[in-house]
Amino acid sequence: MNAFTNGSPTSLLARDPSSDAHPAGPSDPARGRRWKRLAVGLAIGAPLVLGGCNFYPTYGASRGVTTQGQDTFKLYSGMMTTGIIIGGFVGILILYTVLRYRRRSDDMPKQFHESIPIEILYTAIPVFVVAVLFLFTVLTENNVDATVPNNARITTTGAPVLEVKITAFQWGWRFDYPNNNVSVSGEVTDGPGGLGPQMVLPVGETVQILLVSNDVIHGFYVRDFNFSRYALPGVQNRFDLNIIKPGLFPGQCTQICGLYHSEMLFTVKGVTPSDFATWTTSEIAAGHTLQRYPVPAANTPPPYTHVTPSNALAAPSAKKGSL
Amino acid sequence: MTTTVETPELIEPEEPGGPDGHGPSDHGHGGEHAEHGPTGLLKWLTSTDHKVIGKSYMITSLVTFFISGAMALVIRAQLANPTSSLVNFQTYNELFTMHGSLMLYLFAGPFAFGGLANYIVPLQVGAPDMAYPRLNALSYWLYLGGASMMTLSFVVAGGAASFGWVAYAPLSNSINSPGAGTDMWLMSLGLTGFSAIFTGVNLVATVFYLRAPGMTMFRIPIFSWNMLVTGILILIAFPVLFGAVVMLFCDRHFGTHIFSVQGGGVPVLWQHLFWFFGHPEVYILALPYFGIVTDIIPVFSRKPLFGYRGMVFATLSIAALSTGVWAHHMFTTGVVLLPFFSLLSYLIAIPTGIKFFNWVGTMWGGQLSFQTPMLFSIGFLFAFLMGGVTGVLLASPPVDFMTHDTYFVVAHFHQVLIGTTVFAGFAGFYFWYPKMFGRMLNERLGKIHFWLLFIGFWLTFIPQYIVGLKGMPRRVADYLTSNGWTGLNQLSTVGAMVIGVSFLFFLVNLVQSWRKPVLAGDNPWDGGGLEWFTSSPPPHHNFTHLPPIRSERPVWDYNHPEHRKDESHGDKRHREHEKETVGASS
């Protein structure tokens, strides 16, 4: 639900306090002053808290390690602040009403049943809030979903574009680098540290992901990217990632895909472009090439061996980049 | 017979209450009325009385609720430790699938529109029964068949369905889910789906055609209004589900390729069909419970509902919007138009907000007393507030990208669904139990039930929001110690156990009300709806006589004539009605 707001969504862009309209609940004249005081307090206090601090509280989320993820994070943080203020206001209003009007006598209370101005007010303000939230949603969404043209090797500014094809299968991931002739693949808890196969990506470059599935629907999700996308059989999903700092980012399948859904881990490693070049060379030298592992025909899962539930997590093997 | 009504006067119901010899003079002291037809077990098996069927529905759905709740406790026990091996992966997948399926298909909906609505709506609109009593009985028996089939699918070879309650293709096809459990799951949806459709037809017809004289559309209590809208939504949504289920069944057994890529089908079509049912379904589950709370709060505030018409229009707009938001469950598929579904999803926040302020406005200036039904209603307000605010976040596609299929979403919909079906559902149960069985439930046990549930509820789901933001996906049977999710999961598990304990007090309460009955009387809460005018439990055809109906709480008007003048809806027509002649049945 949604009701009253203040300037927090505005602060997403401008980062400065605004003073939008402020709440007035269903009031009766005797309590009017109390309301006014609360409303004034919120009108002054909330933008100060929100606009005064030049940062976005995390509220438990990752700030994001991609430009897209950071955009999403800012939207999330702003919406969360709005939600806390609105939800907090309504929650306190309910609590106040419940405590203030608990039964103290057998007198019959005044039997009023409507107040058209107040009802219009609490319809109009949510319309305004929703309009603002939707505006910021569309702006962020356009950034997050923006992609360079399919198969483009450079961006409009001339920067290189790396294409990676991710194939999800029961139960593992295959990362193909068609421009670099590298292919990495692994099941469940394969890979470094038993965290699944590893996708190495250069920092500071545009990476275009082509996401497909070989069997059922899987969910590509990396917490630090603040992003997920289904790998749908029969559909080629494309999205761009611009990683901005090196590091190791765990990922996992999020869409139930059968028996070993829980074990379908992978990691993303962000490295500098020069380290990335070194890595591709060593992978080719190790034989992890597209020639050795030709791209399978659609809907034909790559060969793999089953693991049993008992040893799935207990005994992760340390092989990397092998099928 | 026509009378000029100056003082409240009783009118005969359209259909006399049967040959039980009760005249207007002994209203409200009905006690034992002569039952029609067989008694005992045969009555339960053969009755077409909406009250018997309603009770059958409620008992069956509560049984599935407890079975499904037990599954939830096993799930929470499994997740209390990383790399836990309490149950194996296959069993775990079956457990969360059946937990969701039982709760959503067999408990939440049937408890409301099969149980409470079946019992209460005819009483509230002043009808002797549902419009089609035999169809009503058929609904129940279809439901019982479907419920048994789904519950028993655990014992067939291959086990129960294990693809989540949404059964996304192609995981639910015959290659990935070959067992008979999946077919039983599908057939159960077919049976319970038709059960719901028939009940929807019945509710709509009852509210439109069987209202008592004077019960205009804008005097129907909000509970019955919401059930009418729910009935319409059922008629929109459930046929689509049935179509999808038949298609999937054909894919599995008759060689069609509707949802398989290999044969030129489209897997994501299943999601469109399922959620075209699934999102109205969310409101099919929620609206009845909004109605319960909207009926309870005025009674325990001793005031009329604030913004009655606003409430009706809010319900209608939620229902209308709910048919256009299905793809917000599919934002991360990459194949839906994001801004359209995002905007419509946001818009639902507006009527929902109106409802919140109307609830607060009803309590404002009242004399609130906190018997168990009111406590549960207030618990609902807080639970649904939290679930609603996080729901607004999820209406934003980018925020959905970052939280989709994580425990953030799990916590969100549990707060919404437990807020409605459990808090508001049990508010309604405590509220109408005296009417249905003629005896009170114990207040102290009820309050213990509430407080344990309330504490357990927050302890369970607040950690789930956080662990979801830390990246824990839903439907995983285990996780790594290095994920750092252990502590939060353990808190959540403790909370779930507290919820489990709270329901022991509910069961003790039920047993006690049968062993040491405290008689309820006709109107223990000073309620305003017509259901409080007849005896507890009501006689076979519900009413021997009715009070004049001039507002949405005719019984309150009747019992508090000195306050009746405040009852008009802001226009003078109602007062003029009092001068009009009230025509009784000829």
Side-chain angles (χ1 to χ4, degrees):
Chain A
M1 64 120 314
N2 206 324
F4 303 125
T5 190
N6 58 35
S8 65
T10 318
S11 67
L12 279 177
L13 274 192
R15 292 190 183 184
D16 76 10
S18 67
S19 49
D20 298 331
H22 261 287
S27 62
D28 80 288
R31 317 268 156 241
R33 201 182 312 157
R34 206 178 297 212
W35 273 117
K36 221 171 275 175
R37 221 178 300 156
L38 184 63
V40 169
L42 269 177
I44 297 171
L48 274 182
V49 171
L50 297 171
C53 320
N54 199 11
F55 70 98
Y56 297 89
T58 59
Y59 300 119
S62 162
R63 288 183 181 275
V65 297
T66 59
T67 55
Q68 293 86 355
Q70 290 193 325
D71 275 350
T72 302
F73 166 73
K74 286 175 185 171
L75 179 72
Y76 162 80
S77 180
M79 285 188 69
M80 200 72 169
T81 304
T82 315
I84 287 170
I85 289 169
I86 294 170
F89 168 74
V90 178
I92 289 167
L93 182 64
I94 295 169
L95 197 63
Y96 172 80
T97 312
V98 166
L99 296 177
R100 168 69 183 78
Y101 295 107
R102 65 187 184 277
R103 190 165 294 180
R104 292 157 200 244
S105 71
D106 276 340
D107 296 346
M108 191 60 76
K110 192 168 176 291
Q111 299 293 302
F112 65 89
H113 50 72
E114 64 185 359
S115 166
I116 298 296
I118 289 174
E119 287 177 60
I120 290 174
L121 184 73
Y122 65 59
T123 309
I125 293 177
V127 171
F128 172 77
V129 176
V130 161
V132 173
L133 290 179
F134 182 64
L135 173 70
F136 284 100
T137 287
V138 169
L139 293 175
T140 306
E141 183 186 298
N142 289 344
N143 284 343
V144 171
D145 267 358
T147 54
V148 296
N150 293 357
N151 305 319
R153 302 296 290 270
I154 55 168
T155 66
T156 46
T157 55
V161 174
L162 175 72
E163 188 182 329
V164 180
K165 180 184 178 189
I166 303 180
T167 309
F169 58 89
Q170 285 174 319
W171 290 273
W173 304 88
R174 174 185 174 121
F175 307 113
D176 291 331
Y177 298 71
N179 305 341
N180 310 69
N181 193 22
V182 170
S183 177
V184 178
S185 182
E187 292 165 33
V188 286
T189 47
D190 286 352
L195 294 172
Q198 189 167 74
M199 174 166 66
V200 178
L201 295 178
V203 169
E205 288 184 12
T206 301
V207 178
Q208 179 157 86
I209 304 287
L210 171 63
L211 181 63
V212 297
S213 165
N214 253 3
D215 34 52
V216 300
I217 300 171
H218 300 274
F220 172 88
Y221 167 72
V222 179
R223 188 235 178 192
D224 289 305
F225 292 175
N226 286 333
F227 186 79
S228 67
R229 181 62 47 97
Y230 282 175
L232 284 167
V235 172
Q236 299 196 329
N237 264 324
R238 283 177 192 274
F239 54 90
D240 283 8
L241 297 171
N242 291 75
I243 301 179
I244 50 178
K245 67 177 185 187
L248 189 67
F249 314 113
Q252 190 163 354
C253 174
T254 50
Q255 177 60 40
I256 175 72
C257 55
L259 192 57
Y260 299 107
H261 164 59
S262 333
E263 315 284 288
M264 209 173 135
L265 312 180
F266 65 95
T267 53
V268 179
K269 189 177 184 184
V271 297
T272 60
S274 59
D275 284 351
F276 181 75
T278 314
W279 175 80
T280 51
T281 313
S282 67
E283 286 296 304
I284 292 166
H288 302 148
T289 61
L290 292 168
Q291 284 75 31
R292 180 163 173 192
Y293 306 112
V295 178
N299 305 310
T300 311
Y304 57 85
T305 47
H306 273 290
V307 285
T308 56
S310 57
N311 67 17
L313 269 179
S317 58
K319 54 191 166 134
K320 171 192 173 186
S322 61
L323 273 170
Chain B
M1 179 194 89
T2 52
T3 326
T4 302
V5 178
E6 296 293 348
T7 54
E9 196 155 312
L10 303 168
I11 56 176
E12 295 288 323
E14 269 192 80
E15 183 177 344
D20 53 4
H22 287 273
S25 58
D26 55 6
H27 95 273
H29 308 285
E32 292 303 312
H33 288 260
E35 291 285 349
H36 290 243
T39 55
L41 185 61
L42 201 57
K43 180 186 85 171
W44 290 85
L45 291 175
T46 61
S47 180
T48 57
D49 181 5
H50 73 103
K51 296 185 288 297
V52 176
I53 296 169
K55 281 192 275 195
S56 306
Y57 254 116
M58 248 179 282
I59 292 164
T60 315
S61 59
L62 281 176
V63 169
T64 62
F65 173 73
F66 282 106
I67 296 174
S68 182
M71 290 180 201
L73 295 185
V74 178
I75 290 170
R76 283 314 320 166
Q78 163 82 2
L79 292 177
N81 289 299
T83 64
S84 160
S85 55
L86 181 68
V87 293
N88 64 34
F89 286 4
Q90 178 62 29
T91 309
Y92 184 84
N93 290 356
E94 290 174 22
L95 280 174
F96 71 68
T97 301
M98 298 312 277
H99 166 71
S101 300
L102 261 65
M103 283 293 186
L104 290 161
Y105 301 122
L106 303 185
F107 165 66
F111 181 74
F113 59 69
L116 284 173
N118 218 329
Y119 199 104
I120 299 299
V121 168
L123 289 168
Q124 281 197 335
V125 301
D129 202 325
M130 291 285 252
Y132 310 112
R134 288 197 187 89
L135 188 67
N136 200 18
L138 177 62
S139 292
Y140 173 71
W141 294 107
L142 284 175
Y143 163 67
L144 185 66
S148 312
M149 188 176 282
M150 189 179 284
T151 313
L152 290 176
S153 67
F154 268 110
V155 302
V156 299
S162 58
F163 36 57
W165 77 282
V166 297
Y168 277 3
L171 184 61
S172 51
N173 68 12
S174 54
I175 298 164
N176 291 294
S177 302
T182 303
D183 295 315
M184 291 176 78
W185 186 88
L186 287 171
M187 283 185 232
S188 170
L189 288 202
L191 291 172
T192 55
F194 266 107
S195 155
I197 290 168
F198 294 154
T199 305
V201 169
N202 238 328
L203 284 169
V204 172
T206 305
V207 173
F208 275 145
Y209 293 113
L210 290 190
R211 281 170 285 130
M215 181 62 81
T216 62
M217 288 307 280
F218 276 120
R219 291 177 192 166
I220 303 173
I222 294 291
F223 176 73
S224 292
W225 248 116
N226 283 21
M227 291 316 312
L228 167 66
V229 178
T230 303
I232 294 169
L233 275 182
I234 286 174
L235 297 182
I236 294 171
F238 273 82
V240 179
L241 174 70
F242 187 75
V245 163
V246 170
M247 290 181 207
L248 185 53
F249 197 84
C250 290
D251 263 16
R252 288 173 59 82
H253 295 290
F254 304 137
T256 60
H257 293 279
I258 299 165
F259 303 120
S260 75
V261 176
Q262 286 89 336
V266 184
V268 86
L269 176 64
W270 167 266
Q271 294 184 36
H272 279 291
L273 293 172
F274 183 84
W275 288 116
F276 189 81
F277 147 80
H279 206 82
E281 163 76 353
V282 170
Y283 289 96
I284 289 168
L285 302 184
L287 290 179
Y289 297 97
F290 294 166
I292 292 169
V293 169
T294 313
D295 266 18
I296 290 175
I297 288 178
V299 170
F300 293 92
S301 307
R302 310 192 78 183
K303 278 183 61 213
L305 175 66
F306 184 85
Y308 174 95
R309 287 175 190 224
M311 219 56 159
V312 171
F313 291 127
T315 301
L316 289 171
S317 33
I318 288 177
L321 287 169
S322 77
T323 59
V325 297
W326 76 90
H328 72 207
H329 299 271
M330 301 162 59
F331 282 158
T332 61
T333 57
V335 294
V336 295
L337 183 65
L338 301 175
F340 173 80
F341 290 103
S342 172
L343 180 62
L344 286 194
S345 307
Y346 272 129
L347 289 180
I348 290 189
I350 296 164
T352 314
I354 292 173
K355 281 177 179 282
F356 259 97
F357 290 109
N358 284 346
W359 288 321
V360 173
T362 306
M363 294 192 287
W364 194 268
Q367 291 272 10
L368 276 61
S369 61
F370 302 106
Q371 281 101 322
T372 313
M374 184 66 167
L375 274 183
F376 273 85
S377 298
I378 294 168
F380 155 83
L381 291 182
F382 285 105
F384 186 61
L385 175 64
M386 184 75 181
V389 168
T390 49
V392 174
L393 260 73
L394 293 171
S396 171
V399 177
D400 186 72
F401 292 166
M402 73 182 272
T403 53
H404 185 78
D405 274 341
T406 69
Y407 261 84
F408 187 86
V409 174
V410 173
H412 154 72
F413 68 72
H414 277 88
Q415 291 219 298
V416 170
L417 285 166
I418 293 182
T420 51
T421 63
V422 178
F423 279 102
F426 281 86
F429 191 85
Y430 279 98
F431 186 58
W432 281 307
Y433 184 87
K435 178 52 65 184
M436 292 186 284
F437 296 98
R439 51 192 81 200
M440 303 297 289
L441 285 169
N442 182 287
E443 274 294 312
R444 173 181 290 191
L445 288 171
K447 282 174 179 164
I448 296 173
H449 176 199
F450 170 77
W451 282 110
L452 284 177
L453 175 64
F454 194 70
I455 293 163
F457 172 76
W458 292 102
L459 191 56
T460 306
F461 295 108
I462 294 295
Q464 290 191 7
Y465 282 115
I466 303 168
V467 85
L469 291 166
K470 283 175 172 291
M472 179 164 171
R474 68 193 288 196
R475 293 166 175 162
V476 291
D478 62 5
Y479 50 93
L480 298 167
T481 314
S482 59
N483 288 132
W485 302 333
T486 312
L488 290 162
N489 271 301
Q490 285 172 347
L491 275 180
S492 183
T493 301
V494 171
M497 299 304 161
V498 174
I499 293 177
V501 170
S502 79
F503 278 96
L504 297 179
F505 287 89
F506 171 73
L507 292 175
V508 170
N509 206 342
L510 286 187
V511 171
Q512 190 171 318
S513 85
W514 284 96
R515 296 189 59 171
K516 296 177 186 171
V518 179
L519 293 184
D522 291 355
N523 192 356
W525 316 113
D526 195 12
L530 278 184
E531 75 269 29
W532 302 109
F533 195 70
T534 186
S535 59
S536 306
H540 184 64
H541 276 300
N542 294 348
F543 297 99
T544 54
H545 44 260
L546 291 166
I549 298 162
R550 298 198 188 86
S551 76
E552 81 275 12
R553 44 177 199 168
V555 175
W556 200 91
D557 296 344
Y558 185 81
N559 291 336
H560 302 275
E562 71 280 11
H563 294 286
R564 209 178 70 231
K565 61 181 185 303
D566 294 326
E567 280 300 292
S568 71
H569 276 293
D571 60 14
K572 303 213 164 31
R573 280 179 305 159
H574 293 262
R575 235 159 295 170
E576 284 157 13
H577 265 239
E578 298 186 13
K579 297 291 177 201
E580 280 170 22
T581 54
V582 174
S585 62
S586 50

PDB file of all heavy atoms in Angstrom, chain A residues 148 152-162 204-206 242:
ATOM      1  N   VAL A 148      24.061  -2.423 -25.868  1.00  0.00           N
ATOM      2  CA  VAL A 148      24.669  -2.080 -27.151  1.00  0.00           C
ATOM      3  C   VAL A 148      24.022  -2.988 -28.198  1.00  0.00           C
ATOM      4  O   VAL A 148      23.488  -4.034 -27.861  1.00  0.00           O
ATOM      5  CB  VAL A 148      26.196  -2.273 -27.123  1.00  0.00           C
ATOM      6  CG1 VAL A 148      26.820  -1.325 -26.138  1.00  0.00           C
ATOM      7  CG2 VAL A 148      26.554  -3.713 -26.783  1.00  0.00           C
ATOM      8  N   ALA A 152      27.664  -6.130 -31.542  1.00  0.00           N
ATOM      9  CA  ALA A 152      28.545  -4.972 -31.711  1.00  0.00           C
ATOM     10  C   ALA A 152      29.871  -5.288 -31.041  1.00  0.00           C
ATOM     11  O   ALA A 152      29.913  -5.863 -29.965  1.00  0.00           O
ATOM     12  CB  ALA A 152      27.909  -3.742 -31.077  1.00  0.00           C
ATOM     13  N   ARG A 153      30.987  -4.932 -31.726  1.00  0.00           N
ATOM     14  CA  ARG A 153      32.292  -5.175 -31.127  1.00  0.00           C
ATOM     15  C   ARG A 153      32.787  -3.951 -30.368  1.00  0.00           C
ATOM     16  O   ARG A 153      33.667  -4.055 -29.522  1.00  0.00           O
ATOM     17  CB  ARG A 153      33.324  -5.544 -32.200  1.00  0.00           C
ATOM     18  CG  ARG A 153      32.933  -6.773 -33.018  1.00  0.00           C
ATOM     19  CD  ARG A 153      32.870  -8.012 -32.120  1.00  0.00           C
ATOM     20  NE  ARG A 153      34.182  -8.426 -31.668  1.00  0.00           N
ATOM     21  CZ  ARG A 153      34.946  -9.292 -32.325  1.00  0.00           C
ATOM     22  NH1 ARG A 153      34.525  -9.840 -33.442  1.00  0.00           N
ATOM     23  NH2 ARG A 153      36.120  -9.615 -31.858  1.00  0.00           N
ATOM     24  N   ILE A 154      32.235  -2.792 -30.679  1.00  0.00           N
ATOM     25  CA  ILE A 154      32.605  -1.589 -29.934  1.00  0.00           C
ATOM     26  C   ILE A 154      31.339  -0.808 -29.586  1.00  0.00           C
ATOM     27  O   ILE A 154      30.315  -0.930 -30.250  1.00  0.00           O
ATOM     28  CB  ILE A 154      33.572  -0.671 -30.728  1.00  0.00           C
ATOM     29  CG1 ILE A 154      32.949  -0.342 -32.095  1.00  0.00           C
ATOM     30  CG2 ILE A 154      34.937  -1.281 -30.846  1.00  0.00           C
ATOM     31  CD1 ILE A 154      33.653   0.765 -32.818  1.00  0.00           C
ATOM     32  N   THR A 155      31.421  -0.013 -28.527  1.00  0.00           N
ATOM     33  CA  THR A 155      30.304   0.845 -28.171  1.00  0.00           C
ATOM     34  C   THR A 155      30.331   2.084 -29.046  1.00  0.00           C
ATOM     35  O   THR A 155      31.245   2.272 -29.852  1.00  0.00           O
ATOM     36  CB  THR A 155      30.390   1.285 -26.701  1.00  0.00           C
ATOM     37  OG1 THR A 155      31.551   2.118 -26.572  1.00  0.00           O
ATOM     38  CG2 THR A 155      30.503   0.103 -25.776  1.00  0.00           C
ATOM     39  N   THR A 156      29.332   2.929 -28.888  1.00  0.00           N
ATOM     40  CA  THR A 156      29.276   4.163 -29.678  1.00  0.00           C
ATOM     41  C   THR A 156      30.468   5.059 -29.387  1.00  0.00           C
ATOM     42  O   THR A 156      30.853   5.873 -30.221  1.00  0.00           O
ATOM     43  CB  THR A 156      27.988   4.936 -29.383  1.00  0.00           C
ATOM     44  OG1 THR A 156      27.806   4.974 -27.971  1.00  0.00           O
ATOM     45  CG2 THR A 156      26.792   4.280 -30.036  1.00  0.00           C
ATOM     46  N   THR A 157      31.050   4.925 -28.196  1.00  0.00           N
ATOM     47  CA  THR A 157      32.213   5.752 -27.878  1.00  0.00           C
ATOM     48  C   THR A 157      33.512   5.058 -28.266  1.00  0.00           C
ATOM     49  O   THR A 157      34.597   5.552 -27.963  1.00  0.00           O
ATOM     50  CB  THR A 157      32.248   6.079 -26.379  1.00  0.00           C
ATOM     51  OG1 THR A 157      32.205   4.841 -25.651  1.00  0.00           O
ATOM     52  CG2 THR A 157      31.075   6.943 -25.978  1.00  0.00           C
ATOM     53  N   GLY A 158      33.420   3.913 -28.896  1.00  0.00           N
ATOM     54  CA  GLY A 158      34.613   3.250 -29.368  1.00  0.00           C
ATOM     55  C   GLY A 158      35.226   2.262 -28.391  1.00  0.00           C
ATOM     56  O   GLY A 158      36.245   1.650 -28.698  1.00  0.00           O
ATOM     57  N   ALA A 159      34.626   2.110 -27.218  1.00  0.00           N
ATOM     58  CA  ALA A 159      35.179   1.173 -26.250  1.00  0.00           C
ATOM     59  C   ALA A 159      34.833  -0.259 -26.668  1.00  0.00           C
ATOM     60  O   ALA A 159      33.818  -0.486 -27.312  1.00  0.00           O
ATOM     61  CB  ALA A 159      34.597   1.470 -24.867  1.00  0.00           C
ATOM     62  N   PRO A 160      35.708  -1.203 -26.294  1.00  0.00           N
ATOM     63  CA  PRO A 160      35.451  -2.579 -26.730  1.00  0.00           C
ATOM     64  C   PRO A 160      34.251  -3.201 -26.022  1.00  0.00           C
ATOM     65  O   PRO A 160      33.926  -2.855 -24.895  1.00  0.00           O
ATOM     66  CB  PRO A 160      36.741  -3.306 -26.348  1.00  0.00           C
ATOM     67  CG  PRO A 160      37.341  -2.501 -25.256  1.00  0.00           C
ATOM     68  CD  PRO A 160      36.945  -1.078 -25.529  1.00  0.00           C
ATOM     69  N   VAL A 161      33.594  -4.110 -26.703  1.00  0.00           N
ATOM     70  CA  VAL A 161      32.482  -4.859 -26.124  1.00  0.00           C
ATOM     71  C   VAL A 161      32.862  -6.331 -26.122  1.00  0.00           C
ATOM     72  O   VAL A 161      33.300  -6.862 -27.139  1.00  0.00           O
ATOM     73  CB  VAL A 161      31.190  -4.663 -26.957  1.00  0.00           C
ATOM     74  CG1 VAL A 161      30.091  -5.562 -26.426  1.00  0.00           C
ATOM     75  CG2 VAL A 161      30.765  -3.214 -26.935  1.00  0.00           C
ATOM     76  N   LEU A 162      32.739  -6.955 -24.958  1.00  0.00           N
ATOM     77  CA  LEU A 162      33.003  -8.378 -24.853  1.00  0.00           C
ATOM     78  C   LEU A 162      31.682  -9.121 -24.846  1.00  0.00           C
ATOM     79  O   LEU A 162      30.792  -8.782 -24.074  1.00  0.00           O
ATOM     80  CB  LEU A 162      33.772  -8.672 -23.562  1.00  0.00           C
ATOM     81  CG  LEU A 162      34.002 -10.154 -23.263  1.00  0.00           C
ATOM     82  CD1 LEU A 162      35.030 -10.726 -24.221  1.00  0.00           C
ATOM     83  CD2 LEU A 162      34.418 -10.352 -21.829  1.00  0.00           C
ATOM     84  N   GLY A 204      35.612  -2.460 -16.240  1.00  0.00           N
ATOM     85  CA  GLY A 204      35.672  -1.222 -17.005  1.00  0.00           C
ATOM     86  C   GLY A 204      35.271  -1.373 -18.458  1.00  0.00           C
ATOM     87  O   GLY A 204      35.298  -0.404 -19.208  1.00  0.00           O
ATOM     88  N   GLU A 205      34.939  -2.570 -18.888  1.00  0.00           N
ATOM     89  CA  GLU A 205      34.502  -2.751 -20.262  1.00  0.00           C
ATOM     90  C   GLU A 205      33.022  -3.134 -20.281  1.00  0.00           C
ATOM     91  O   GLU A 205      32.480  -3.611 -19.291  1.00  0.00           O
ATOM     92  CB  GLU A 205      35.322  -3.861 -20.940  1.00  0.00           C
ATOM     93  CG  GLU A 205      36.742  -3.432 -21.240  1.00  0.00           C
ATOM     94  CD  GLU A 205      37.501  -4.511 -21.987  1.00  0.00           C
ATOM     95  OE1 GLU A 205      36.866  -5.478 -22.462  1.00  0.00           O
ATOM     96  OE2 GLU A 205      38.733  -4.382 -22.082  1.00  0.00           O
ATOM     97  N   THR A 206      32.400  -2.923 -21.433  1.00  0.00           N
ATOM     98  CA  THR A 206      31.022  -3.350 -21.577  1.00  0.00           C
ATOM     99  C   THR A 206      30.993  -4.831 -21.924  1.00  0.00           C
ATOM    100  O   THR A 206      31.665  -5.265 -22.856  1.00  0.00           O
ATOM    101  CB  THR A 206      30.333  -2.546 -22.690  1.00  0.00           C
ATOM    102  OG1 THR A 206      30.381  -1.166 -22.348  1.00  0.00           O
ATOM    103  CG2 THR A 206      28.888  -2.975 -22.851  1.00  0.00           C
ATOM    104  N   ASN A 242      28.447  -3.633 -16.878  1.00  0.00           N
ATOM    105  CA  ASN A 242      29.679  -2.848 -16.830  1.00  0.00           C
ATOM    106  C   ASN A 242      30.223  -2.934 -15.408  1.00  0.00           C
ATOM    107  O   ASN A 242      29.821  -2.162 -14.533  1.00  0.00           O
ATOM    108  CB  ASN A 242      29.408  -1.387 -17.190  1.00  0.00           C
ATOM    109  CG  ASN A 242      29.049  -1.227 -18.644  1.00  0.00           C
ATOM    110  OD1 ASN A 242      27.924  -1.559 -19.044  1.00  0.00           O
ATOM    111  ND2 ASN A 242      29.986  -0.748 -19.435  1.00  0.00           N
TER     112      ASN A 242
END
